[in-house]
Amino acid sequence: MPSFTPDSELELLFSPHVIPAEVKAQLGSDLHMRPLSRTDISRSHLSVLRVLTSTPDLTERQYAQAFDTMRSCPNTYYTLVVISRETDAIVGVGSVFLEQKFTRNLGRVGHIEDIAVDKSMQGRKLGLRIIQALTGISERVGCYKTILNCSDDNIPFYQKCGFEKKENEMARYH
Ligand code: ACO
Protein backbone atom coordinates (compact mmCIF):
# COMPACT_ATOMS: atom_id res chain seq x y z
CA MET A 1 0.00 0.00 0.00
CA PRO A 2 1.51 3.43 -0.91
CA SER A 3 2.64 5.48 2.07
CA PHE A 4 1.32 8.97 2.77
CA THR A 5 3.12 11.69 0.75
CA PRO A 6 3.70 14.93 2.70
CA ASP A 7 2.85 18.27 1.06
CA SER A 8 6.56 19.20 0.96
CA GLU A 9 7.22 16.42 -1.58
CA LEU A 10 4.49 17.49 -3.99
CA GLU A 11 4.00 20.12 -6.71
CA LEU A 12 0.83 21.85 -5.47
CA LEU A 13 -1.71 24.01 -7.29
CA PHE A 14 -1.61 26.77 -4.64
CA SER A 15 -0.13 27.45 -1.21
CA PRO A 16 -1.49 25.04 1.45
CA HIS A 17 -1.58 27.98 3.89
CA VAL A 18 -4.65 29.33 2.06
CA ILE A 19 -6.75 26.43 3.39
CA PRO A 20 -8.36 27.52 6.70
CA ALA A 21 -6.55 25.75 9.57
CA GLU A 22 -9.74 25.53 11.62
CA VAL A 23 -11.39 23.41 8.90
CA LYS A 24 -8.38 21.09 8.59
CA ALA A 25 -8.40 20.65 12.38
CA GLN A 26 -11.93 19.27 12.24
CA LEU A 27 -11.06 16.42 9.86
CA GLY A 28 -10.45 12.99 11.41
CA SER A 29 -6.81 12.21 12.24
CA ASP A 30 -6.87 9.59 9.44
CA LEU A 31 -7.44 12.36 6.86
CA HIS A 32 -5.46 15.28 5.40
CA MET A 33 -6.70 18.23 3.32
CA ARG A 34 -4.32 19.84 0.82
CA PRO A 35 -4.23 21.59 -2.58
CA LEU A 36 -4.38 19.36 -5.68
CA SER A 37 -0.97 18.03 -6.73
CA ARG A 38 0.39 17.50 -10.24
CA THR A 39 0.49 13.71 -9.69
CA ASP A 40 -2.93 13.20 -8.08
CA ILE A 41 -4.11 11.17 -11.07
CA SER A 42 -2.23 8.32 -9.37
CA ARG A 43 -4.18 8.90 -6.12
CA SER A 44 -7.67 8.10 -7.49
CA HIS A 45 -8.65 11.69 -8.32
CA LEU A 46 -10.60 10.65 -11.42
CA SER A 47 -12.30 7.69 -9.67
CA VAL A 48 -13.62 10.02 -6.96
CA LEU A 49 -14.95 12.44 -9.60
CA ARG A 50 -16.89 9.54 -11.15
CA VAL A 51 -19.39 9.65 -8.24
CA LEU A 52 -20.32 13.06 -9.66
CA THR A 53 -20.26 12.74 -13.45
CA SER A 54 -18.71 11.09 -16.52
CA THR A 55 -14.92 11.30 -16.08
CA PRO A 56 -13.06 9.34 -18.78
CA ASP A 57 -9.49 8.21 -18.08
CA LEU A 58 -6.63 10.57 -18.93
CA THR A 59 -2.94 9.89 -19.47
CA GLU A 60 -0.55 11.22 -16.83
CA ARG A 61 0.65 13.71 -19.43
CA GLN A 62 -2.86 15.03 -20.20
CA TYR A 63 -3.54 15.35 -16.48
CA ALA A 64 -0.29 17.23 -15.86
CA GLN A 65 -1.03 19.57 -18.81
CA ALA A 66 -4.47 20.44 -17.39
CA PHE A 67 -2.84 21.05 -13.99
CA ASP A 68 -0.21 23.32 -15.61
CA THR A 69 -2.95 25.28 -17.41
CA MET A 70 -4.66 25.94 -14.08
CA ARG A 71 -1.44 26.82 -12.28
CA SER A 72 -0.51 29.30 -15.03
CA CYS A 73 -3.50 31.46 -13.92
CA PRO A 74 -2.40 32.54 -10.43
CA ASN A 75 -5.05 33.23 -7.76
CA THR A 76 -7.78 31.74 -9.94
CA TYR A 77 -8.08 27.95 -9.55
CA TYR A 78 -8.31 26.44 -6.07
CA THR A 79 -8.90 22.68 -6.17
CA LEU A 80 -8.42 20.85 -2.91
CA VAL A 81 -8.39 17.18 -2.03
CA VAL A 82 -8.93 15.12 1.11
CA ILE A 83 -6.42 12.26 1.37
CA SER A 84 -6.54 9.07 3.42
CA ARG A 85 -3.30 8.97 5.43
CA GLU A 86 -3.51 5.19 5.41
CA THR A 87 -3.75 4.63 1.64
CA ASP A 88 -2.50 7.99 0.22
CA ALA A 89 -5.65 7.91 -1.94
CA ILE A 90 -8.04 10.81 -2.52
CA VAL A 91 -11.42 10.36 -0.83
CA GLY A 92 -12.93 13.82 -1.45
CA VAL A 93 -12.43 16.75 -3.82
CA GLY A 94 -13.78 20.20 -4.56
CA SER A 95 -12.90 23.41 -6.38
CA VAL A 96 -13.55 27.11 -6.24
CA PHE A 97 -12.50 29.37 -9.10
CA LEU A 98 -12.43 33.12 -8.82
CA GLU A 99 -14.08 35.41 -11.34
CA GLN A 100 -12.84 39.02 -11.64
CA LYS A 101 -15.64 41.53 -12.33
CA PHE A 102 -15.84 45.16 -13.43
CA THR A 103 -19.01 45.60 -11.38
CA ARG A 104 -19.23 45.84 -7.59
CA ASN A 105 -16.16 48.05 -7.44
CA LEU A 106 -14.01 45.43 -9.21
CA GLY A 107 -15.54 42.68 -7.10
CA ARG A 108 -14.72 39.00 -7.33
CA VAL A 109 -17.03 35.99 -7.16
CA GLY A 110 -16.10 32.47 -6.06
CA HIS A 111 -17.67 29.66 -8.10
CA ILE A 112 -17.77 26.27 -6.36
CA GLU A 113 -17.53 23.31 -8.72
CA ASP A 114 -17.06 19.53 -8.79
CA ILE A 115 -17.66 18.49 -5.20
CA ALA A 116 -17.33 14.74 -4.78
CA VAL A 117 -16.84 12.40 -1.83
CA ASP A 118 -15.99 8.72 -2.33
CA LYS A 119 -19.08 6.55 -1.64
CA SER A 120 -17.35 4.72 1.22
CA MET A 121 -16.68 8.06 2.98
CA GLN A 122 -20.02 9.83 2.47
CA GLY A 123 -21.88 10.88 5.62
CA ARG A 124 -18.67 11.65 7.60
CA LYS A 125 -18.96 15.44 7.10
CA LEU A 126 -16.24 15.48 4.44
CA GLY A 127 -18.53 17.26 1.98
CA LEU A 128 -19.28 19.88 4.65
CA ARG A 129 -15.56 20.36 5.43
CA ILE A 130 -14.71 20.72 1.73
CA ILE A 131 -17.41 23.41 1.31
CA GLN A 132 -16.27 25.19 4.47
CA ALA A 133 -12.67 25.21 3.20
CA LEU A 134 -13.64 26.47 -0.26
CA THR A 135 -15.92 29.23 1.03
CA GLY A 136 -13.18 30.14 3.53
CA ILE A 137 -10.71 30.53 0.64
CA SER A 138 -13.24 32.54 -1.38
CA GLU A 139 -13.86 34.88 1.56
CA ARG A 140 -10.17 35.17 2.44
CA VAL A 141 -9.19 36.24 -1.08
CA GLY A 142 -11.86 38.95 -1.02
CA CYS A 143 -14.84 37.55 -2.95
CA TYR A 144 -18.11 39.27 -2.07
CA LYS A 145 -20.10 36.03 -2.64
CA THR A 146 -19.66 32.33 -3.34
CA ILE A 147 -22.13 30.57 -5.62
CA LEU A 148 -22.76 27.11 -7.08
CA ASN A 149 -25.22 25.07 -9.13
CA CYS A 150 -26.67 21.80 -7.84
CA SER A 151 -29.49 19.30 -8.35
CA ASP A 152 -32.67 19.51 -6.26
CA ASP A 153 -31.45 16.41 -4.37
CA ASN A 154 -28.40 18.28 -3.09
CA ILE A 155 -30.24 21.45 -1.96
CA PRO A 156 -30.58 20.18 1.66
CA PHE A 157 -26.83 19.42 1.78
CA TYR A 158 -25.92 22.95 0.65
CA GLN A 159 -28.47 24.47 3.03
CA LYS A 160 -26.68 22.62 5.85
CA CYS A 161 -23.47 24.21 4.54
CA GLY A 162 -25.04 27.68 4.95
CA PHE A 163 -26.14 28.38 1.36
CA GLU A 164 -29.57 29.61 0.32
CA LYS A 165 -31.47 29.12 -2.94
CA LYS A 166 -31.28 32.16 -5.27
CA GLU A 167 -32.46 32.65 -8.86
CA ASN A 168 -32.29 29.93 -11.56
CA GLU A 169 -29.67 28.13 -13.62
CA MET A 170 -29.83 28.25 -17.44
CA ALA A 171 -27.74 25.84 -19.54
CA ARG A 172 -26.99 25.19 -23.20
CA TYR A 173 -24.94 22.05 -23.90
CA HIS A 174 -22.49 21.84 -26.85
N1 ACO B 1 -29.85 15.31 1.14
C1 ACO B 1 -30.06 15.74 2.42
N2 ACO B 1 -29.08 15.93 3.33
C2 ACO B 1 -27.82 15.65 2.94
C3 ACO B 1 -27.50 15.18 1.64
C4 ACO B 1 -28.57 15.04 0.71
N3 ACO B 1 -28.38 14.65 -0.56
N4 ACO B 1 -26.16 14.98 1.56
C5 ACO B 1 -25.66 15.31 2.77
N5 ACO B 1 -26.65 15.71 3.59
C6 ACO B 1 -26.54 16.20 4.97
C7 ACO B 1 -25.92 15.16 5.91
O1 ACO B 1 -26.90 14.27 6.41
C8 ACO B 1 -25.33 16.06 6.99
O2 ACO B 1 -26.36 16.50 7.83
P1 ACO B 1 -26.16 16.61 9.44
O3 ACO B 1 -25.16 17.71 9.66
O4 ACO B 1 -27.52 16.94 9.95
O5 ACO B 1 -25.64 15.27 9.90
C9 ACO B 1 -24.84 17.29 6.20
O6 ACO B 1 -25.64 17.31 4.99
C10 ACO B 1 -23.36 17.21 5.81
O7 ACO B 1 -23.18 16.02 5.07
P2 ACO B 1 -21.74 15.41 4.77
O8 ACO B 1 -21.50 14.20 5.63
O9 ACO B 1 -20.72 16.46 4.82
O10 ACO B 1 -21.97 14.92 3.27
P3 ACO B 1 -20.99 14.03 2.37
O11 ACO B 1 -19.62 13.99 2.92
O12 ACO B 1 -21.66 12.72 2.14
O13 ACO B 1 -20.95 14.86 1.02
C11 ACO B 1 -21.94 15.12 -1.17
C12 ACO B 1 -22.13 15.28 0.36
C13 ACO B 1 -20.74 15.94 -1.61
C14 ACO B 1 -23.20 15.64 -1.84
C15 ACO B 1 -21.69 13.61 -1.45
O14 ACO B 1 -22.81 12.87 -1.07
C16 ACO B 1 -21.36 13.30 -2.90
O15 ACO B 1 -20.19 13.26 -3.29
N6 ACO B 1 -22.40 13.04 -3.72
C17 ACO B 1 -22.22 12.66 -5.13
C18 ACO B 1 -21.66 13.80 -5.97
C19 ACO B 1 -22.47 15.10 -5.85
O16 ACO B 1 -23.70 15.10 -5.96
N7 ACO B 1 -21.75 16.22 -5.62
C20 ACO B 1 -22.31 17.55 -5.48
C21 ACO B 1 -22.58 18.10 -6.85
S1 ACO B 1 -22.98 19.86 -6.87
C22 ACO B 1 -21.48 20.69 -7.11
O17 ACO B 1 -20.47 20.05 -7.35
C23 ACO B 1 -21.44 22.19 -7.01
Side-chain angles (χ1 to χ4, degrees):
M1 195 175 286
S3 57
F4 175 71
T5 316
D7 292 3
S8 55
E9 292 177 19
L10 294 166
E11 276 187 78
L12 300 175
L13 185 59
F14 59 92
S15 165
H17 305 296
V18 180
I19 300 176
E22 61 276 16
V23 178
K24 288 171 81 166
Q26 289 181 81
L27 284 172
S29 57
D30 55 333
L31 299 171
H32 174 62
M33 184 182 276
R34 64 158 168 77
L36 185 74
S37 101
R38 198 165 187 270
T39 50
D40 276 343
I41 188 171
S42 68
R43 297 183 183 86
S44 312
H45 184 193
L46 302 183
S47 313
V48 175
L49 284 173
R50 284 183 191 120
V51 304
L52 172 67
T53 191
S54 161
T55 311
D57 273 333
L58 298 171
T59 64
E60 285 182 14
R61 190 155 174 268
Q62 287 173 318
Y63 186 89
Q65 278 173 345
F67 179 93
D68 291 343
T69 300
M70 289 180 187
R71 200 169 48 172
S72 68
C73 309
N75 312 318
T76 304
Y77 290 100
Y78 294 86
T79 294
L80 54 78
V81 299
V82 177
I83 295 270
S84 158
R85 289 183 186 273
E86 193 193 345
T87 61
D88 204 39
I90 292 173
V91 293
V93 298
S95 303
V96 63
F97 80 87
L98 308 187
E99 175 202 3
Q100 177 66 56
K101 289 193 170 287
F102 286 106
T103 56
R104 301 261 180 177
N105 198 21
L106 296 175
R108 284 197 288 174
V109 174
H111 296 260
I112 285 184
E113 288 284 340
D114 296 348
I115 307 301
V117 173
D118 185 73
K119 273 205 163 47
S120 67
M121 298 293 280
Q122 288 179 8
R124 276 190 55 180
K125 303 265 191 281
L126 286 198
L128 174 68
R129 300 296 170 230
I130 291 168
I131 296 299
Q132 287 173 332
L134 296 173
T135 47
I137 292 171
S138 181
E139 200 176 341
R140 194 169 283 192
V141 300
C143 291
Y144 72 91
K145 69 175 178 182
T146 306
I147 58 176
L148 59 87
N149 293 327
C150 72
S151 65
D152 287 353
D153 285 352
N154 280 328
I155 289 175
F157 165 68
Y158 286 110
Q159 284 171 331
K160 291 204 162 161
C161 294
F163 284 69
E164 58 182 307
K165 193 170 179 320
K166 286 278 220 182
E167 300 170 348
N168 300 300
E169 171 190 306
M170 304 287 285
R172 180 164 165 169
Y173 285 78
H174 304 287

